[in-house]
Amino acid sequence: MRRIENLLSTMEEESLPALYISNPKNVRYLCGFTGEDSALLVTQKEVFFLTDGRYVEQAAGELPDLLQRVCWRQSLMDEAAEIINKLGLPLVGFEGAHLSYSDGEQFKSLVKADTRAVMGWVEKFREVKDEEELRSTLEAVRIADKTFMHILNYIRPGVSEIDVATEMEYFMKRNGSEKTAFPTIVASGIRSSYPHGEASPKQIERGDMVILDFGATCEGYVSDITRTVAVGQPDSRLDDSYYLVLEAQKAGLGAIRSGMKSKELDSIIRAPFIRERMNTHFTHGAGHSIGLDIHEAPYISYRSEHEFAEYAIMTIEPGLYLQGVGGVRIEDDVLVQREDSRTLSKSPKSDLIVLPFYN
Ligand SMILES: [Mn+2]
């Protein structure tokens, strides 16, 4: 209940008597429920958990006793509105970044109260990981690291990207992952210049760079790592790119700490690319937070004044993409600390791995 109590203090400071939580990840974070189609109505006096008949039994097992469990009849939102109206609440908040426009409009019309869209309240708490969250993330990272070592023996000319992705996803599951953190990215050859090339039927060929971007899920918490390997000797421009990306990525991992501004970290990661006049080939963000979601706030951005919190878990993932040639990306997960932050993922990267090929 500590997480709900933290939310209640924010609500008190903001003079908000009630808040309707509809983002399922926020529901899970606040009360531990792992199913779908549920919502929370948080008030200073009582906390209502709403779901439907499919989840009543599961909710009884997972939820703290202090929560009022409600099984809705018409719809989640109708039921929430009915409670709000019955309690005669004057003002109720909803999650502006989660409800669709039409759901928001419907919510406003159903409740006989003033409404206020709130954004990022629960997400702000989610940035700072507690011990249990760290333990789950570490397990998801461990599985991803193990998967990388496994897949090195599998990648060779003639094997398709989909074959590689399928083997990785199967291996992660066999090793304790609940599900893949996101659709596994395997992008080879010229497709490796697509920063987010999902695995295709393309066969891996001699001379290809292969970008592997993947993650496991444990107790709902994800890992997200990327490694780039070559099958046989690649184009020398890609070989050079590899060591430049590695330099940028290591600079980021070495620099990140709590209290540092996001844009400051961005410029540290970007510096080697600017020096080598390659910055225009770095076409995406340098990293993001992970947790119950694969992309969570905060993000690493040249525009962001956000200061990283202690015990945030961030990815650092610079990349370079040469159109028609190929690309390189290296990504690790790091626990932000006050002094030396701790890189959680351990997959080898210090030399470009050139896999042997057999004719
Ligand atoms: Mn990522």
Side-chain angles (χ1 to χ4, degrees), residues 213 224 288 295 315 317 331:
D213 186 349
D224 182 10
H288 52 89
H295 297 121
T315 74
E317 52 172 317
E331 174 179 34

Side-chain angles (χ1 to χ4, degrees), residues 3-19 42-45 91 93 116 118 121 125:
R3 294 175 181 176
I4 289 179
E5 280 159 20
N6 288 341
L7 179 62
L8 283 168
S9 12
T10 302
M11 288 165 58
E12 202 167 359
E13 285 160 26
E14 298 274 345
S15 311
L16 188 71
L19 179 56
V42 181
T43 75
Q44 293 292 350
K45 273 202 189 124
L91 173 66
R116 174 176 162 197
V118 307
W121 287 14
F125 295 125

